[in-house]
């Protein structure tokens, strides 16, 4: 079957701060902050192995923990 590119709109996302190998990032946003799509929301210490985490949607931060960030439109 052919691959069909379908966009599914999300009104709420839960973004994990640990992405693959390495340490979890530290939140760069707080509850209630407005964020744009592609904005940095988690940063890692340059002396450790890790990756920066960016928002996949534009919205407002609903929850921040040590392991994830929830963003709602």
């Amino acid at each position: 079957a052919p691959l069909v590119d379908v966009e599914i709109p999300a009104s709420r996302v839960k973004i994990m701060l640990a992405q693959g190998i390495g340490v979890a990032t530290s939140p760069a946003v707080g509850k209630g902050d407005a964020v744009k799509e592609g904005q940095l929301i988690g940063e890692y210490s340059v002396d450790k192995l890790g990756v920066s985490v960016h928002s996949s949607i534009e919205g407002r931060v609903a929850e921040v923990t040590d392991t994830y960030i929830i963003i709602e439109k």
Side-chain angles (χ1 to χ4, degrees), residues 16-19 21-26 43-45 48-51 53 66-67:
M16 304 307 290
L17 292 173
Q19 301 280 322
I21 194 167
V23 298
T25 61
S26 298
E43 37 192 8
Y44 69 98
S45 178
K48 300 191 186 236
L49 178 63
V51 296
V53 177
D66 290 338
T67 56

Side-chain angles (χ1 to χ4, degrees), residues 1-65:
L3 178 62
V4 177
D5 190 14
V6 177
E7 185 173 323
I8 301 172
S11 60
R12 184 174 196 257
V13 294
K14 180 177 184 179
I15 302 173
M16 304 307 290
L17 292 173
Q19 301 280 322
I21 194 167
V23 298
T25 61
S26 298
V29 294
K31 184 176 180 178
D33 288 352
V35 295
K36 296 186 180 218
E37 183 176 343
Q39 179 178 331
L40 178 72
I41 59 170
E43 37 192 8
Y44 69 98
S45 178
V46 294
D47 61 335
K48 300 191 186 236
L49 178 63
V51 296
S52 297
V53 177
H54 299 81
S55 176
S56 58
I57 65 170
E58 183 173 336
R60 190 158 301 278
V61 178
E63 186 177 347
V64 177
T65 72

